[in-house]
Amino acid sequence: MAITQRYAGKRALFDDRKFNFGDVWILSDELITIPQADGTNTRKLHSERWVVITSNNVENYHPLCPIVTVSPLSHVVELAKEFDLELLPNTDNVKDKSLLQIKLMQPILKKDLATCKGPISEIKKVELQVLLEDFLGLAEADV
């Protein structure tokens, strides 16, 4: 179960940093929920978790909106599933070849995002938008 660190009050959640769609960030792994592993006590917590910003709206930039949506990354690429997006170190600002796991998309406090590593490639941003449309059922069905 994810545990958010405690803040002194709502004012402490104000954050004027920019959180761009497709940016790669690092935060504490314990703040991310991975239900299939957390629910079976099979998860090995790491010191950090890399995530990608998957929300794409004006609240990403509003200092009084404390939440942004992220998808966690996994380095276990051989277990790729539908709606996973492969990211590469040489083009996508990730440490290792990774899978962006759209099905694990979740809200996180902006203040908990520690380090921005930079954006994924423009090509991967487009692929991510298409996958998000499919996952959320927003894409027009072929008739």
Side-chain angles (χ1 to χ4, degrees), residues 23-37:
D23 277 357
V24 178
W25 283 81
I26 299 174
L27 72 159
S28 175
D29 193 23
E30 69 182 8
L31 299 175
I32 292 293
T33 300
I34 302 178
Q36 68 272 27

Side-chain angles (χ1 to χ4, degrees), residues 73-75 77 85-88 94 96-100:
L73 301 183
S74 172
H75 65 276
V77 294
L85 178 64
E86 187 176 280
L87 301 177
L88 303 172
V94 293
D96 301 307
K97 188 175 180 181
S98 303
L99 293 176
L100 182 156

Side-chain angles (χ1 to χ4, degrees), residues 34-42 81 101 104:
I34 302 178
Q36 68 272 27
D38 295 341
T40 58
N41 288 326
T42 57
K81 298 175 182 61
Q101 300 173 298
L104 297 180

